[in-house]
Amino acid sequence: MADPNYQQKVFEVTRLIPIGKVSTYGAIADYLALGSARMVGWALNKCNWASDDPIPAHRVVNRKGELSGRGHFPHPSMMQELLEAEGVTVKEHKVQDFKEKLWIPAKEL
DNA sequence: TCTTTGACGTACA
DNA sequence: GTGTACGCCAAAG
């Protein structure tokens, strides 16, 4: 790894996502100027075991509001449970009122 | 060193 | 509106 700095930024922004809100790979990628939403996914792939602090990766969904990364959690249902526990309604692995729940760092910050 | 894959996104048919 | 193709960059094989 040449510069894991980009990845650290992804973790930082992800932690900044307020409770009851969700963000998208594209929004984070755009904010960090990564140029590719895939970099966000790759960075989050390391999530907890790349950092001592827990990363609310469950708040990060794809542009459609789908819980695309649920399969990478200890238990697939955990992602939905966590979101619902935070006030985010999830149905069929998709965020309800996604547009309202969406939190964009580049826009909020 | 080259190839393949990956928690995505946008464009085009 | 749906399906397919390509691009983006990085890491693992």
Side-chain angles (χ1 to χ4, degrees), chain A residues 13 17 22-34 36-37 40 60-63 98 102-107:
Chain A
V13 174
I17 301 174
V22 293
S23 186
T24 69
Y25 300 98
I28 297 172
D30 181 66
Y31 175 67
L32 298 177
L34 297 179
S36 294
V40 180
V60 183
V61 297
N62 62 9
R63 190 222 178 264
F98 172 64
L102 182 58
W103 183 84
I104 303 173
K107 184 176 181 179

PDB file of all heavy atoms in Angstrom, chain A residues 13 17 22-34 36-37 40 60-63 98 102-107, chain B residues 8-10:
ATOM      1  N   VAL A  13     -14.878  10.086   7.178  1.00  0.00           N
ATOM      2  CA  VAL A  13     -16.159  10.611   6.687  1.00  0.00           C
ATOM      3  C   VAL A  13     -17.303   9.693   7.097  1.00  0.00           C
ATOM      4  O   VAL A  13     -18.373  10.147   7.483  1.00  0.00           O
ATOM      5  CB  VAL A  13     -16.137  10.753   5.154  1.00  0.00           C
ATOM      6  CG1 VAL A  13     -17.513  11.145   4.630  1.00  0.00           C
ATOM      7  CG2 VAL A  13     -15.098  11.782   4.755  1.00  0.00           C
ATOM      8  N   ILE A  17     -21.009  10.425   9.614  1.00  0.00           N
ATOM      9  CA  ILE A  17     -22.412  10.301   9.224  1.00  0.00           C
ATOM     10  C   ILE A  17     -23.274  10.287  10.485  1.00  0.00           C
ATOM     11  O   ILE A  17     -23.100   9.435  11.347  1.00  0.00           O
ATOM     12  CB  ILE A  17     -22.653   9.006   8.438  1.00  0.00           C
ATOM     13  CG1 ILE A  17     -21.773   8.998   7.175  1.00  0.00           C
ATOM     14  CG2 ILE A  17     -24.132   8.893   8.058  1.00  0.00           C
ATOM     15  CD1 ILE A  17     -21.848   7.684   6.408  1.00  0.00           C
ATOM     16  N   VAL A  22     -27.936   8.286   6.212  1.00  0.00           N
ATOM     17  CA  VAL A  22     -27.127   7.355   5.417  1.00  0.00           C
ATOM     18  C   VAL A  22     -26.394   8.128   4.322  1.00  0.00           C
ATOM     19  O   VAL A  22     -26.789   9.234   3.983  1.00  0.00           O
ATOM     20  CB  VAL A  22     -28.011   6.277   4.772  1.00  0.00           C
ATOM     21  CG1 VAL A  22     -28.616   5.376   5.837  1.00  0.00           C
ATOM     22  CG2 VAL A  22     -29.069   6.906   3.901  1.00  0.00           C
ATOM     23  N   SER A  23     -25.353   7.547   3.816  1.00  0.00           N
ATOM     24  CA  SER A  23     -24.597   8.203   2.751  1.00  0.00           C
ATOM     25  C   SER A  23     -24.358   7.219   1.602  1.00  0.00           C
ATOM     26  O   SER A  23     -24.660   6.039   1.740  1.00  0.00           O
ATOM     27  CB  SER A  23     -23.262   8.709   3.307  1.00  0.00           C
ATOM     28  OG  SER A  23     -22.597   9.461   2.324  1.00  0.00           O
ATOM     29  N   THR A  24     -23.842   7.710   0.536  1.00  0.00           N
ATOM     30  CA  THR A  24     -23.616   6.836  -0.625  1.00  0.00           C
ATOM     31  C   THR A  24     -22.140   6.801  -1.002  1.00  0.00           C
ATOM     32  O   THR A  24     -21.383   7.711  -0.670  1.00  0.00           O
ATOM     33  CB  THR A  24     -24.419   7.333  -1.830  1.00  0.00           C
ATOM     34  OG1 THR A  24     -23.875   8.552  -2.291  1.00  0.00           O
ATOM     35  CG2 THR A  24     -25.868   7.508  -1.463  1.00  0.00           C
ATOM     36  N   TYR A  25     -21.754   5.753  -1.675  1.00  0.00           N
ATOM     37  CA  TYR A  25     -20.367   5.591  -2.115  1.00  0.00           C
ATOM     38  C   TYR A  25     -19.992   6.745  -3.046  1.00  0.00           C
ATOM     39  O   TYR A  25     -18.901   7.292  -2.964  1.00  0.00           O
ATOM     40  CB  TYR A  25     -20.199   4.260  -2.845  1.00  0.00           C
ATOM     41  CG  TYR A  25     -20.549   3.088  -1.975  1.00  0.00           C
ATOM     42  CD1 TYR A  25     -21.802   2.486  -2.058  1.00  0.00           C
ATOM     43  CD2 TYR A  25     -19.633   2.602  -1.051  1.00  0.00           C
ATOM     44  CE1 TYR A  25     -22.121   1.404  -1.262  1.00  0.00           C
ATOM     45  CE2 TYR A  25     -19.952   1.524  -0.242  1.00  0.00           C
ATOM     46  CZ  TYR A  25     -21.195   0.934  -0.356  1.00  0.00           C
ATOM     47  OH  TYR A  25     -21.519  -0.127   0.439  1.00  0.00           O
ATOM     48  N   GLY A  26     -20.891   7.096  -3.905  1.00  0.00           N
ATOM     49  CA  GLY A  26     -20.629   8.157  -4.872  1.00  0.00           C
ATOM     50  C   GLY A  26     -20.414   9.494  -4.184  1.00  0.00           C
ATOM     51  O   GLY A  26     -19.536  10.253  -4.561  1.00  0.00           O
ATOM     52  N   ALA A  27     -21.217   9.775  -3.162  1.00  0.00           N
ATOM     53  CA  ALA A  27     -21.116  11.041  -2.444  1.00  0.00           C
ATOM     54  C   ALA A  27     -19.761  11.144  -1.748  1.00  0.00           C
ATOM     55  O   ALA A  27     -19.096  12.169  -1.807  1.00  0.00           O
ATOM     56  CB  ALA A  27     -22.254  11.143  -1.429  1.00  0.00           C
ATOM     57  N   ILE A  28     -19.370  10.055  -1.108  1.00  0.00           N
ATOM     58  CA  ILE A  28     -18.086  10.039  -0.409  1.00  0.00           C
ATOM     59  C   ILE A  28     -16.932  10.102  -1.403  1.00  0.00           C
ATOM     60  O   ILE A  28     -15.980  10.834  -1.213  1.00  0.00           O
ATOM     61  CB  ILE A  28     -17.972   8.763   0.451  1.00  0.00           C
ATOM     62  CG1 ILE A  28     -19.067   8.784   1.529  1.00  0.00           C
ATOM     63  CG2 ILE A  28     -16.599   8.663   1.096  1.00  0.00           C
ATOM     64  CD1 ILE A  28     -19.163   7.479   2.306  1.00  0.00           C
ATOM     65  N   ALA A  29     -17.055   9.352  -2.463  1.00  0.00           N
ATOM     66  CA  ALA A  29     -16.006   9.328  -3.487  1.00  0.00           C
ATOM     67  C   ALA A  29     -15.854  10.712  -4.096  1.00  0.00           C
ATOM     68  O   ALA A  29     -14.743  11.176  -4.346  1.00  0.00           O
ATOM     69  CB  ALA A  29     -16.358   8.314  -4.565  1.00  0.00           C
ATOM     70  N   ASP A  30     -16.958  11.377  -4.298  1.00  0.00           N
ATOM     71  CA  ASP A  30     -16.925  12.699  -4.893  1.00  0.00           C
ATOM     72  C   ASP A  30     -16.317  13.706  -3.916  1.00  0.00           C
ATOM     73  O   ASP A  30     -15.532  14.558  -4.285  1.00  0.00           O
ATOM     74  CB  ASP A  30     -18.344  13.126  -5.261  1.00  0.00           C
ATOM     75  CG  ASP A  30     -18.337  14.503  -5.905  1.00  0.00           C
ATOM     76  OD1 ASP A  30     -17.786  14.611  -7.011  1.00  0.00           O
ATOM     77  OD2 ASP A  30     -18.847  15.451  -5.287  1.00  0.00           O
ATOM     78  N   TYR A  31     -16.696  13.576  -2.656  1.00  0.00           N
ATOM     79  CA  TYR A  31     -16.191  14.484  -1.633  1.00  0.00           C
ATOM     80  C   TYR A  31     -14.682  14.323  -1.460  1.00  0.00           C
ATOM     81  O   TYR A  31     -13.951  15.290  -1.305  1.00  0.00           O
ATOM     82  CB  TYR A  31     -16.907  14.193  -0.309  1.00  0.00           C
ATOM     83  CG  TYR A  31     -16.372  15.003   0.829  1.00  0.00           C
ATOM     84  CD1 TYR A  31     -16.542  16.391   0.848  1.00  0.00           C
ATOM     85  CD2 TYR A  31     -15.695  14.400   1.889  1.00  0.00           C
ATOM     86  CE1 TYR A  31     -16.043  17.138   1.891  1.00  0.00           C
ATOM     87  CE2 TYR A  31     -15.202  15.144   2.943  1.00  0.00           C
ATOM     88  CZ  TYR A  31     -15.368  16.521   2.938  1.00  0.00           C
ATOM     89  OH  TYR A  31     -14.874  17.261   3.975  1.00  0.00           O
ATOM     90  N   LEU A  32     -14.220  13.086  -1.478  1.00  0.00           N
ATOM     91  CA  LEU A  32     -12.795  12.803  -1.319  1.00  0.00           C
ATOM     92  C   LEU A  32     -12.075  12.855  -2.653  1.00  0.00           C
ATOM     93  O   LEU A  32     -10.872  12.646  -2.731  1.00  0.00           O
ATOM     94  CB  LEU A  32     -12.622  11.417  -0.694  1.00  0.00           C
ATOM     95  CG  LEU A  32     -13.250  11.310   0.701  1.00  0.00           C
ATOM     96  CD1 LEU A  32     -13.086   9.890   1.216  1.00  0.00           C
ATOM     97  CD2 LEU A  32     -12.605  12.302   1.659  1.00  0.00           C
ATOM     98  N   ALA A  33     -12.825  13.111  -3.720  1.00  0.00           N
ATOM     99  CA  ALA A  33     -12.251  13.216  -5.070  1.00  0.00           C
ATOM    100  C   ALA A  33     -11.493  11.944  -5.433  1.00  0.00           C
ATOM    101  O   ALA A  33     -10.438  11.996  -6.046  1.00  0.00           O
ATOM    102  CB  ALA A  33     -11.331  14.434  -5.136  1.00  0.00           C
ATOM    103  N   LEU A  34     -12.042  10.810  -5.023  1.00  0.00           N
ATOM    104  CA  LEU A  34     -11.387   9.532  -5.326  1.00  0.00           C
ATOM    105  C   LEU A  34     -11.536   9.209  -6.803  1.00  0.00           C
ATOM    106  O   LEU A  34     -10.696   8.533  -7.383  1.00  0.00           O
ATOM    107  CB  LEU A  34     -12.032   8.426  -4.498  1.00  0.00           C
ATOM    108  CG  LEU A  34     -11.851   8.627  -2.992  1.00  0.00           C
ATOM    109  CD1 LEU A  34     -12.548   7.497  -2.245  1.00  0.00           C
ATOM    110  CD2 LEU A  34     -10.390   8.676  -2.631  1.00  0.00           C
ATOM    111  N   SER A  36     -13.658   7.317  -8.099  1.00  0.00           N
ATOM    112  CA  SER A  36     -14.384   6.064  -8.282  1.00  0.00           C
ATOM    113  C   SER A  36     -15.067   5.658  -6.987  1.00  0.00           C
ATOM    114  O   SER A  36     -14.439   5.621  -5.937  1.00  0.00           O
ATOM    115  CB  SER A  36     -13.431   4.953  -8.687  1.00  0.00           C
ATOM    116  OG  SER A  36     -12.905   5.224  -9.959  1.00  0.00           O
ATOM    117  N   ALA A  37     -16.320   5.326  -7.072  1.00  0.00           N
ATOM    118  CA  ALA A  37     -17.062   4.883  -5.898  1.00  0.00           C
ATOM    119  C   ALA A  37     -16.513   3.548  -5.406  1.00  0.00           C
ATOM    120  O   ALA A  37     -16.646   3.204  -4.246  1.00  0.00           O
ATOM    121  CB  ALA A  37     -18.533   4.752  -6.254  1.00  0.00           C
ATOM    122  N   VAL A  40     -14.255   3.631  -2.380  1.00  0.00           N
ATOM    123  CA  VAL A  40     -14.940   3.714  -1.094  1.00  0.00           C
ATOM    124  C   VAL A  40     -15.281   2.311  -0.616  1.00  0.00           C
ATOM    125  O   VAL A  40     -15.058   1.960   0.536  1.00  0.00           O
ATOM    126  CB  VAL A  40     -16.215   4.554  -1.212  1.00  0.00           C
ATOM    127  CG1 VAL A  40     -16.925   4.650   0.129  1.00  0.00           C
ATOM    128  CG2 VAL A  40     -15.872   5.946  -1.737  1.00  0.00           C
ATOM    129  N   VAL A  60     -23.516   3.383   4.958  1.00  0.00           N
ATOM    130  CA  VAL A  60     -23.078   3.677   3.589  1.00  0.00           C
ATOM    131  C   VAL A  60     -23.738   2.697   2.627  1.00  0.00           C
ATOM    132  O   VAL A  60     -23.556   1.491   2.720  1.00  0.00           O
ATOM    133  CB  VAL A  60     -21.549   3.549   3.487  1.00  0.00           C
ATOM    134  CG1 VAL A  60     -21.098   3.941   2.080  1.00  0.00           C
ATOM    135  CG2 VAL A  60     -20.879   4.440   4.524  1.00  0.00           C
ATOM    136  N   VAL A  61     -24.518   3.248   1.729  1.00  0.00           N
ATOM    137  CA  VAL A  61     -25.228   2.417   0.762  1.00  0.00           C
ATOM    138  C   VAL A  61     -24.925   2.902  -0.653  1.00  0.00           C
ATOM    139  O   VAL A  61     -24.300   3.935  -0.836  1.00  0.00           O
ATOM    140  CB  VAL A  61     -26.743   2.483   1.015  1.00  0.00           C
ATOM    141  CG1 VAL A  61     -27.055   1.912   2.381  1.00  0.00           C
ATOM    142  CG2 VAL A  61     -27.232   3.901   0.882  1.00  0.00           C
ATOM    143  N   ASN A  62     -25.382   2.168  -1.625  1.00  0.00           N
ATOM    144  CA  ASN A  62     -25.109   2.583  -3.003  1.00  0.00           C
ATOM    145  C   ASN A  62     -26.076   3.679  -3.428  1.00  0.00           C
ATOM    146  O   ASN A  62     -26.925   4.119  -2.671  1.00  0.00           O
ATOM    147  CB  ASN A  62     -25.204   1.385  -3.953  1.00  0.00           C
ATOM    148  CG  ASN A  62     -26.595   0.805  -3.946  1.00  0.00           C
ATOM    149  OD1 ASN A  62     -27.518   1.376  -3.382  1.00  0.00           O
ATOM    150  ND2 ASN A  62     -26.738  -0.336  -4.556  1.00  0.00           N
ATOM    151  N   ARG A  63     -25.957   4.132  -4.644  1.00  0.00           N
ATOM    152  CA  ARG A  63     -26.746   5.247  -5.138  1.00  0.00           C
ATOM    153  C   ARG A  63     -28.250   4.938  -5.126  1.00  0.00           C
ATOM    154  O   ARG A  63     -29.088   5.798  -5.063  1.00  0.00           O
ATOM    155  CB  ARG A  63     -26.295   5.592  -6.557  1.00  0.00           C
ATOM    156  CG  ARG A  63     -26.921   6.872  -6.992  1.00  0.00           C
ATOM    157  CD  ARG A  63     -27.354   6.715  -8.391  1.00  0.00           C
ATOM    158  NE  ARG A  63     -27.981   7.926  -8.771  1.00  0.00           N
ATOM    159  CZ  ARG A  63     -29.300   8.079  -8.717  1.00  0.00           C
ATOM    160  NH1 ARG A  63     -30.036   7.257  -8.134  1.00  0.00           N
ATOM    161  NH2 ARG A  63     -29.821   9.088  -9.234  1.00  0.00           N
ATOM    162  N   PHE A  98     -35.049   7.245   1.238  1.00  0.00           N
ATOM    163  CA  PHE A  98     -33.603   7.349   1.054  1.00  0.00           C
ATOM    164  C   PHE A  98     -33.175   8.782   0.754  1.00  0.00           C
ATOM    165  O   PHE A  98     -32.196   9.279   1.290  1.00  0.00           O
ATOM    166  CB  PHE A  98     -33.198   6.420  -0.094  1.00  0.00           C
ATOM    167  CG  PHE A  98     -31.763   6.594  -0.488  1.00  0.00           C
ATOM    168  CD1 PHE A  98     -30.752   6.281   0.409  1.00  0.00           C
ATOM    169  CD2 PHE A  98     -31.436   7.067  -1.746  1.00  0.00           C
ATOM    170  CE1 PHE A  98     -29.423   6.438   0.044  1.00  0.00           C
ATOM    171  CE2 PHE A  98     -30.108   7.220  -2.108  1.00  0.00           C
ATOM    172  CZ  PHE A  98     -29.104   6.907  -1.217  1.00  0.00           C
ATOM    173  N   LEU A 102     -30.590  10.624   3.098  1.00  0.00           N
ATOM    174  CA  LEU A 102     -29.277  10.801   2.495  1.00  0.00           C
ATOM    175  C   LEU A 102     -28.496  11.971   3.097  1.00  0.00           C
ATOM    176  O   LEU A 102     -29.027  13.059   3.260  1.00  0.00           O
ATOM    177  CB  LEU A 102     -29.436  11.011   0.987  1.00  0.00           C
ATOM    178  CG  LEU A 102     -28.118  11.159   0.238  1.00  0.00           C
ATOM    179  CD1 LEU A 102     -27.241   9.945   0.461  1.00  0.00           C
ATOM    180  CD2 LEU A 102     -28.386  11.375  -1.220  1.00  0.00           C
ATOM    181  N   TRP A 103     -27.257  11.685   3.425  1.00  0.00           N
ATOM    182  CA  TRP A 103     -26.366  12.693   4.001  1.00  0.00           C
ATOM    183  C   TRP A 103     -25.117  12.813   3.139  1.00  0.00           C
ATOM    184  O   TRP A 103     -24.351  11.859   3.009  1.00  0.00           O
ATOM    185  CB  TRP A 103     -26.009  12.291   5.433  1.00  0.00           C
ATOM    186  CG  TRP A 103     -25.160  13.297   6.114  1.00  0.00           C
ATOM    187  CD1 TRP A 103     -25.558  14.436   6.760  1.00  0.00           C
ATOM    188  CD2 TRP A 103     -23.721  13.268   6.230  1.00  0.00           C
ATOM    189  NE1 TRP A 103     -24.459  15.090   7.257  1.00  0.00           N
ATOM    190  CE2 TRP A 103     -23.329  14.407   6.954  1.00  0.00           C
ATOM    191  CE3 TRP A 103     -22.740  12.376   5.778  1.00  0.00           C
ATOM    192  CZ2 TRP A 103     -21.999  14.683   7.244  1.00  0.00           C
ATOM    193  CZ3 TRP A 103     -21.408  12.652   6.069  1.00  0.00           C
ATOM    194  CH2 TRP A 103     -21.047  13.791   6.795  1.00  0.00           C
ATOM    195  N   ILE A 104     -24.942  13.975   2.539  1.00  0.00           N
ATOM    196  CA  ILE A 104     -23.802  14.163   1.648  1.00  0.00           C
ATOM    197  C   ILE A 104     -22.748  15.078   2.276  1.00  0.00           C
ATOM    198  O   ILE A 104     -23.024  16.244   2.538  1.00  0.00           O
ATOM    199  CB  ILE A 104     -24.274  14.780   0.322  1.00  0.00           C
ATOM    200  CG1 ILE A 104     -25.339  13.866  -0.297  1.00  0.00           C
ATOM    201  CG2 ILE A 104     -23.103  14.957  -0.630  1.00  0.00           C
ATOM    202  CD1 ILE A 104     -25.976  14.488  -1.532  1.00  0.00           C
ATOM    203  N   PRO A 105     -21.557  14.566   2.532  1.00  0.00           N
ATOM    204  CA  PRO A 105     -20.476  15.332   3.172  1.00  0.00           C
ATOM    205  C   PRO A 105     -20.141  16.597   2.387  1.00  0.00           C
ATOM    206  O   PRO A 105     -19.991  17.666   2.971  1.00  0.00           O
ATOM    207  CB  PRO A 105     -19.298  14.348   3.184  1.00  0.00           C
ATOM    208  CG  PRO A 105     -19.632  13.285   2.185  1.00  0.00           C
ATOM    209  CD  PRO A 105     -21.120  13.221   2.136  1.00  0.00           C
ATOM    210  N   ALA A 106     -20.026  16.481   1.096  1.00  0.00           N
ATOM    211  CA  ALA A 106     -19.673  17.636   0.264  1.00  0.00           C
ATOM    212  C   ALA A 106     -20.755  18.718   0.334  1.00  0.00           C
ATOM    213  O   ALA A 106     -20.502  19.893   0.128  1.00  0.00           O
ATOM    214  CB  ALA A 106     -19.481  17.175  -1.169  1.00  0.00           C
ATOM    215  N   LYS A 107     -21.973  18.292   0.654  1.00  0.00           N
ATOM    216  CA  LYS A 107     -23.083  19.235   0.716  1.00  0.00           C
ATOM    217  C   LYS A 107     -23.299  19.742   2.138  1.00  0.00           C
ATOM    218  O   LYS A 107     -23.587  20.920   2.356  1.00  0.00           O
ATOM    219  CB  LYS A 107     -24.355  18.535   0.220  1.00  0.00           C
ATOM    220  CG  LYS A 107     -25.551  19.479   0.157  1.00  0.00           C
ATOM    221  CD  LYS A 107     -26.746  18.754  -0.431  1.00  0.00           C
ATOM    222  CE  LYS A 107     -27.926  19.717  -0.505  1.00  0.00           C
ATOM    223  NZ  LYS A 107     -29.097  19.048  -1.092  1.00  0.00           N
TER     224      LYS A 107
ATOM    225  P    DC B   8     -20.961  -2.368  -4.846  1.00  0.00           P
ATOM    226  OP1  DC B   8     -22.405  -2.392  -4.776  1.00  0.00           O
ATOM    227  OP2  DC B   8     -20.228  -3.344  -5.619  1.00  0.00           O
ATOM    228  O5'  DC B   8     -20.535  -0.926  -5.401  1.00  0.00           O
ATOM    229  C5'  DC B   8     -20.204   0.138  -4.550  1.00  0.00           C
ATOM    230  C4'  DC B   8     -20.225   1.440  -5.336  1.00  0.00           C
ATOM    231  O4'  DC B   8     -19.420   1.302  -6.509  1.00  0.00           O
ATOM    232  C3'  DC B   8     -21.617   1.864  -5.798  1.00  0.00           C
ATOM    233  O3'  DC B   8     -21.738   3.280  -5.666  1.00  0.00           O
ATOM    234  C2'  DC B   8     -21.656   1.456  -7.236  1.00  0.00           C
ATOM    235  C1'  DC B   8     -20.216   1.588  -7.665  1.00  0.00           C
ATOM    236  N1   DC B   8     -19.847   0.615  -8.724  1.00  0.00           N
ATOM    237  C2   DC B   8     -19.247   1.113  -9.885  1.00  0.00           C
ATOM    238  O2   DC B   8     -19.026   2.307  -9.995  1.00  0.00           O
ATOM    239  N3   DC B   8     -18.944   0.238 -10.874  1.00  0.00           N
ATOM    240  C4   DC B   8     -19.197  -1.069 -10.732  1.00  0.00           C
ATOM    241  N4   DC B   8     -18.869  -1.869 -11.738  1.00  0.00           N
ATOM    242  C5   DC B   8     -19.783  -1.592  -9.546  1.00  0.00           C
ATOM    243  C6   DC B   8     -20.099  -0.725  -8.578  1.00  0.00           C
ATOM    244  P    DG B   9     -23.046   4.023  -6.213  1.00  0.00           P
ATOM    245  OP1  DG B   9     -23.275   5.205  -5.376  1.00  0.00           O
ATOM    246  OP2  DG B   9     -24.118   3.024  -6.366  1.00  0.00           O
ATOM    247  O5'  DG B   9     -22.600   4.509  -7.664  1.00  0.00           O
ATOM    248  C5'  DG B   9     -21.442   5.321  -7.783  1.00  0.00           C
ATOM    249  C4'  DG B   9     -21.370   5.953  -9.166  1.00  0.00           C
ATOM    250  O4'  DG B   9     -20.874   4.971 -10.100  1.00  0.00           O
ATOM    251  C3'  DG B   9     -22.747   6.404  -9.660  1.00  0.00           C
ATOM    252  O3'  DG B   9     -22.658   7.701 -10.217  1.00  0.00           O
ATOM    253  C2'  DG B   9     -23.123   5.352 -10.695  1.00  0.00           C
ATOM    254  C1'  DG B   9     -21.795   4.811 -11.180  1.00  0.00           C
ATOM    255  N9   DG B   9     -21.826   3.396 -11.552  1.00  0.00           N
ATOM    256  C8   DG B   9     -22.420   2.354 -10.894  1.00  0.00           C
ATOM    257  N7   DG B   9     -22.251   1.190 -11.489  1.00  0.00           N
ATOM    258  C5   DG B   9     -21.497   1.499 -12.605  1.00  0.00           C
ATOM    259  C6   DG B   9     -20.990   0.651 -13.638  1.00  0.00           C
ATOM    260  O6   DG B   9     -21.118  -0.567 -13.767  1.00  0.00           O
ATOM    261  N1   DG B   9     -20.283   1.361 -14.587  1.00  0.00           N
ATOM    262  C2   DG B   9     -20.069   2.713 -14.552  1.00  0.00           C
ATOM    263  N2   DG B   9     -19.370   3.228 -15.547  1.00  0.00           N
ATOM    264  N3   DG B   9     -20.525   3.515 -13.595  1.00  0.00           N
ATOM    265  C4   DG B   9     -21.229   2.842 -12.655  1.00  0.00           C
ATOM    266  P    DT B  10     -23.990   8.388 -10.861  1.00  0.00           P
ATOM    267  OP1  DT B  10     -24.082   9.748 -10.282  1.00  0.00           O
ATOM    268  OP2  DT B  10     -25.135   7.459 -10.730  1.00  0.00           O
ATOM    269  O5'  DT B  10     -23.640   8.520 -12.418  1.00  0.00           O
ATOM    270  C5'  DT B  10     -22.267   8.702 -12.809  1.00  0.00           C
ATOM    271  C4'  DT B  10     -22.110   8.388 -14.292  1.00  0.00           C
ATOM    272  O4'  DT B  10     -22.009   6.959 -14.490  1.00  0.00           O
ATOM    273  C3'  DT B  10     -23.312   8.875 -15.128  1.00  0.00           C
ATOM    274  O3'  DT B  10     -22.832   9.575 -16.266  1.00  0.00           O
ATOM    275  C2'  DT B  10     -24.030   7.582 -15.516  1.00  0.00           C
ATOM    276  C1'  DT B  10     -22.919   6.553 -15.515  1.00  0.00           C
ATOM    277  N1   DT B  10     -23.360   5.179 -15.213  1.00  0.00           N
ATOM    278  C2   DT B  10     -22.937   4.155 -16.046  1.00  0.00           C
ATOM    279  O2   DT B  10     -22.202   4.347 -17.006  1.00  0.00           O
ATOM    280  N3   DT B  10     -23.391   2.910 -15.719  1.00  0.00           N
ATOM    281  C4   DT B  10     -24.217   2.580 -14.667  1.00  0.00           C
ATOM    282  O4   DT B  10     -24.550   1.419 -14.489  1.00  0.00           O
ATOM    283  C5   DT B  10     -24.630   3.694 -13.838  1.00  0.00           C
ATOM    284  C7   DT B  10     -25.523   3.454 -12.661  1.00  0.00           C
ATOM    285  C6   DT B  10     -24.181   4.923 -14.140  1.00  0.00           C
TER     286       DT B  10
END
